[in-house]
Amino acid sequence: MCGIVGYVGKRDAIPVLVEGLHRLEYRGYDSAGLAVLRRGRLAVTKTAGRVADLREKIAGREKATGKATGKAPPGKGAVPGKGAVKSTVGIGHTRWATHGEPNETNAHPHTDSAGRIAVVHNGIIENADQLREQLTASGVRLVSDTDTEALAHLIAAELAAGDTAGDTAGDATADAAGGDVALEDAVVRVLAAVEGAYGLVVLDVAHPDQLVVARNGSPIVLGLGENEMFVASDVAALVRYTRQVIYLEDGEAATIRASDFHTTSLNGAAGASAEKTPTMVDADAGDYELGEFADYMSKEIHEQPDALRRALMGRLDERFATARLGGISLDARQLRGIRQVKFLGCGSAYYAGLIGAQLVEELARIPADAEPASEFRYRSPVVDPDTLYVAVSQSGETSDTLMAVQELKRKGGQVMGAVNVVGSAIGRECGHGIFLHAGPEVAVASTKALTNMAANFALLALLMGRVRDLSAASGERIVAGLRNLPGQVSRILAAESEIAAVAHRFAGADHMFFIGRVRGWPVAREGAQKLKEISYVHAEAYQAGELKHGPLALISPGMPSVVIVPSDDLVAKNISTIEQIRARGGPVIAVTSASVPDGLADAVITVPRAEPELEPILFNVPLQILAYHAAAKLGRDIDKPRNLAKSVTVE
Ligand code: G6P
């Protein structure tokens, strides 16, 4: 989804901004742009293409004006040449179109007519039509179709009105009375009339030493440097420069200058400024480097053994055969009082929740299920005070999940987070929970975060089971099984070339089925999701038992089925499913930890046998590899599938 970056300090702002935008590319975008202050004027560059195109455009322009030279590698930005005018303040943006098609005019930053104000914005302004009409009626010519442009004009008008009032009252300048707050005040006043979600950064020609930022529903994080300050929508854009960050809360604005910053409330508490303690980001620039890998998805698939080790580290209690989850602020008695567990998430986080629900039911014998957070938030859910809700999110910023949490809290529900990004909105809103410890995940398609979600839910299920009826012996078996997982994932990764060969064999299919039952069912759903999102092959998941109630009609030689066969007491049933499909001419790829008869399937992908309850965690991995190599064979842009974003911070 859209990305924001801003800089004020001593460096040349352009390379910092371009590098930041490059780091945000993974979120998904369709156009990009930046604005810097140069010789007291705004210099705006935009493109309907990629960040690399933006960099080329800037470099070309600088060269043409003889002010800069050099071709920098991707992400390194234009290199100012001798005599170049250095811009030390600026803002940049990668846009994901909401209002208006993705073209250069609609790309951010947007400016007012006089070129005084530049704005970058994430989110959606819901009363944009009304604001745009008001502006047009007052004679403003809007050049783009965006909601954001209205903000630039409104802020400029507010500042102009302030300047006029100041002159009338005989004040020297509006700022003289209020220090540096004139711009911030204008932004706050304008936002009072704005409905919707935003994270935004404002640059004003008349305030060259500062940027004003505001947040309501879209993440904004400040990065603190030595006599320089950064702002971004995602720490990925900052970690190259600083690991000290401040997360802005919803309803807050801030003014940032090279040497300091202050925050203020957007809700009328004039001048209210919360004391902010910087947080150290648990990642560094190296975590975002590709290294030997062709793309982030492949890198992240291969990071899974280490990610799993981190998730388990310090959390397995061998002595009492249970899990230690210090982030959950429920004691044993409170945990015992939980009568139901419900996982809420979107996309892969929802599928991970389905695995979690199964684990909780099996190990703790508490009714559990999962629901897409996007449905939950809209359907006026019945919230039971004895249900533990678990909000699942890699990014911790997914709008639908955050809204579901807020709805739950309004209704007095108990909710904990299961998030990967420390300091993210969902984690903070929940107040307690489990961090996934997967490390930064860049590829749109979730792999290591999903695996760590499922492993963390096994820990939660183990803990809840052990405060209830799960025996110490069973607890020991699960603890040992969890310890084995990282090594077992490594064994699956070692067989990547065989799985790739299977993927290449079937990549030409237009449609595929993913079939599972009970433990295999969430795995089948996530497998189908993975294939469709990165390869664009139509894939559907069905419960094995449901095949005969409809989907069997679609079985043909052109419709391969991936059938999940874990080592449980349903192996015979799953074998008979494979036979039914093949009897109707459908090719079958069996993914199995059991021993299936030779020749039963057209291709077999073998998964190491694990403790039966934990097998769904492992089975995801070969399906990721299968989807990855099918997409690679089809020449897809694996890390940035069309129309998708890593983090969906709007509805
Ligand atoms: C988007 C991504 C999915 C992801 C989902 C939830 O739809 O494309 O890959 O699973 O958001 O994201 P979250 O950050 O909340 O886990």
Side-chain angles (χ1 to χ4, degrees), residues 346-349 393-395 398 444 446 453 533 645-646 648:
C346 297
S348 292
S393 176
Q394 185 287 126
S395 62
T398 299
V444 165
S446 186
M453 285 169 188
E533 68 182 335
K646 178 71 180 156
V648 184

Side-chain angles (χ1 to χ4, degrees), residues 1-33:
M1 213 101 272
C2 305
I4 281 180
V5 59
Y7 176 76
V8 53
K10 56 203 173 189
R11 304 182 202 222
D12 189 358
I14 291 177
V16 176
L17 296 172
V18 175
E19 164 67 17
L21 293 178
H22 170 57
R23 297 289 156 189
L24 296 178
E25 285 190 281
Y26 78 94
R27 294 170 67 97
Y29 71 107
D30 45 53
S31 50

Side-chain angles (χ1 to χ4, degrees), residues 134-148:
Q134 278 168 19
L135 284 162
T136 311
S138 66
V140 172
R141 200 175 73 84
L142 294 161
V143 296
S144 77
D145 307 317
T146 65
D147 49 350
T148 309

Side-chain angles (χ1 to χ4, degrees), residues 30-31 95-103 106-107 132 144-147:
D30 45 53
S31 50
R95 174 172 186 253
W96 170 278
T98 55
H99 286 65
E101 62 179 82
N103 59 28
N106 288 335
R132 286 174 61 93
S144 77
D145 307 317
T146 65
D147 49 350

